[in-house]
């Protein structure tokens, strides 16, 4: 969507909520446990706003590449300004998730699942032993929610300190590994022949191709056609369908590896540190709601 369509929800609404909280009467029972005025505000930003780096830390420079990412950068900056200027300003923490997977997820990481199912279905419930490819570590939706609550319930740095935190799994996998893990979790058998995917720096050479709207439109037409056939065959509910958006192309041509050490240093413990185990808690939900075979 264009910036103008995203700005009201991603920027203006966040600023309005922060101002309202600043003006609200603080709850007396919270003052002793959460700071001077008992007010805290956690903003969910995005790990996609970072510039390319070997390891994405909270102080990695920003390089937004889409209107969505720009709204998150603008919201962060303006919230930080308000936190300094407003009287009785709530303490502010910023949470930046990596690609999120979990129950009810229809976008971004859910495309990995759809692609894995399409590949295994086309090959007769057999999945190539894919591995390697561009690397990243995803984030289970439950851990994103738990991290937000953790920051609300624990002491966080004042605005003059560093108040941003990444949230992601501990384990880093290549795109090929993610596909194989998902297919196996869905019950697909694995072909004996290993199929390594090219590293990110090789795929990046084709950025003009995979980043073009025409290519994405053609790719989505193929994926959605395959998915429509699968949905008809297995009488699936209209839950989700593959849709590779421009926001995903940033993960194709570079490794996108996040550090979660900062929030863990505060005492936060992941419930789903390993994607290989975390996806096993998600697949049953998709099957129970007939989003996948």
């Amino acid at each position: 969507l264009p910036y103008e369509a995203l700005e009201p929800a991603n920027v203006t609404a966040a600023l309005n909520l922060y101002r309202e909280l600043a003006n609200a009467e603080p709850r007396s029972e919270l003052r002793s446990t959460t700071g001077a005025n008992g007010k805290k505000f956690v903003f969910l930003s995005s790990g996609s706003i970072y510039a390319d780096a070997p390891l994405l830390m909270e102080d990695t420079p920003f390089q937004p590449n889409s209107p969505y990412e720009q709204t998150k950068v603008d919201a962060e900056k303006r919230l930080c300004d308000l936190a300094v200027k407003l009287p009785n300003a709530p303490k502010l923490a910023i949470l930046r998730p990596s690609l999120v997977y979990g129950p009810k997820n229809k976008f971004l990481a859910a495309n990995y699942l759809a692609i894995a199912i399409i590949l295994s279905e086309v090959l007769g419930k057999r999945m190539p032993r894919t591995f390697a490819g561009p690397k990243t570590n995803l984030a289970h939706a439950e851990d994103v929610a738990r991290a937000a609550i953790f920051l609300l319930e624990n002491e966080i740095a004042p605005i003059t300190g560093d108040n941003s935190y990444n949230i992601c799994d501990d384990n880093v996998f290549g795109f090929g590994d993610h596909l194989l893990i998902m297919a196996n979790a869905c019950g697909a058998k694995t072909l004996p022949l290993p199929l390594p995917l090219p590293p990110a720096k090789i795929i990046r050479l084709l950025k003009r191709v995979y980043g073009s709207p025409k290519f994405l439109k053609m790719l989505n037409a193929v994926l959605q056609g395959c998915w429509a056939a699968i949905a008809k065959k297995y009488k699936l509910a209209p839950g989700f369908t593959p849709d590779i958006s421009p926001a995903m192309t940033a993960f194709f041509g570079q490794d996108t590896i996040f550090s979660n050490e900062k929030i863990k240093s505060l005492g936060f413990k992941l419930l789903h540190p390993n994607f290989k185990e975390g996806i096993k808690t998600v697949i049953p939900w998709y099957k129970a709601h007939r989003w996948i075979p």
Side-chain angles (χ1 to χ4, degrees):
L1 294 175
Y3 185 94
E4 294 74 20
L6 296 166
E7 192 275 342
N10 289 355
V11 182
T12 301
L15 297 173
N16 288 345
L17 285 168
Y18 190 82
R19 290 190 189 97
E20 288 299 317
L21 183 58
N23 294 329
E25 187 64 28
R27 291 168 58 185
S28 58
E29 68 270 23
L30 293 179
R31 292 179 185 176
S32 61
T33 59
T34 59
N37 61 19
K39 298 178 182 181
K40 286 185 178 178
F41 190 94
V42 175
F43 176 66
L44 266 72
S45 185
S46 171
S48 298
I49 64 178
Y50 291 121
D52 190 10
L55 183 63
L56 300 175
M57 311 281 286
E58 286 80 359
D59 59 356
T60 300
F62 296 159
Q63 186 179 315
N65 292 305
S66 71
Y68 168 79
E69 293 166 14
Q70 187 63 56
T71 61
K72 291 298 186 180
V73 170
D74 291 349
E76 281 197 25
K77 290 180 178 178
R78 293 175 66 180
L79 281 168
C80 289
D81 288 342
L82 285 178
V84 172
K85 297 174 182 177
L86 283 181
N88 207 26
K91 285 190 174 182
L92 173 67
I94 294 168
L95 192 61
R96 299 184 189 131
S98 60
L99 278 179
V100 180
Y101 72 99
K104 302 185 181 181
N105 178 240
K106 297 182 180 182
F107 308 104
L108 297 177
N111 288 289
Y112 289 11
L113 177 58
I115 292 169
I117 292 171
I118 289 171
L119 283 174
S120 62
E121 186 70 21
V122 168
L123 295 171
K125 292 290 185 181
R126 309 277 288 187
M127 179 68 184
R129 195 181 294 273
T130 56
F131 65 96
K135 297 176 183 178
T136 190
N137 42 346
L138 306 185
H140 195 294
E142 189 172 9
D143 278 329
V144 177
R146 290 176 62 251
I149 294 170
F150 176 86
L151 292 174
L152 286 171
E153 294 179 342
N154 291 272
E155 190 60 32
I156 56 178
I159 189 60
T160 51
D162 188 355
N163 64 329
S164 58
Y165 303 87
N166 291 339
I167 180 66
C168 58
D169 294 350
D170 287 338
N171 297 86
V172 177
F173 293 104
F175 179 58
D177 301 293
H178 280 119
L179 290 180
L180 184 60
I181 290 167
M182 287 181 168
N184 288 343
C186 291
K189 295 180 181 179
T190 306
L191 292 168
L193 184 65
L195 179 63
L197 299 189
K201 61 183 179 181
I202 299 299
I203 296 177
R204 178 177 276 180
L205 298 175
L206 302 173
K207 187 172 183 179
R208 283 191 175 184
V209 177
Y210 68 73
S212 72
K214 286 185 178 179
F215 176 82
L216 288 179
K217 185 177 180 179
M218 183 172 59
L219 175 62
N220 282 323
V222 172
L223 292 176
Q224 290 164 11
C226 292
W227 192 258
I230 292 172
K232 183 178 180 180
K233 178 180 177 181
Y234 294 100
K235 297 181 172 59
L236 299 182
F240 82 100
T241 188
D243 184 16
I244 308 296
S245 68
M248 283 195 71
T249 60
F251 292 84
F252 296 167
Q254 64 190 48
D255 292 337
T256 313
I257 302 171
F258 296 84
S259 169
N260 58 15
E261 289 303 315
K262 187 176 174 188
I263 193 167
K264 285 172 32 176
S265 72
L266 299 180
F268 179 74
K269 290 181 170 52
L270 291 162
L271 194 62
H272 308 281
N274 190 325
F275 175 76
K276 190 176 290 188
E277 298 302 319
I279 193 65
K280 293 177 183 177
T281 71
V282 176
I283 297 300
W285 187 95
Y286 277 81
K287 289 188 173 184
H289 290 78
R290 304 228 31 92
W291 280 21
I292 63 174

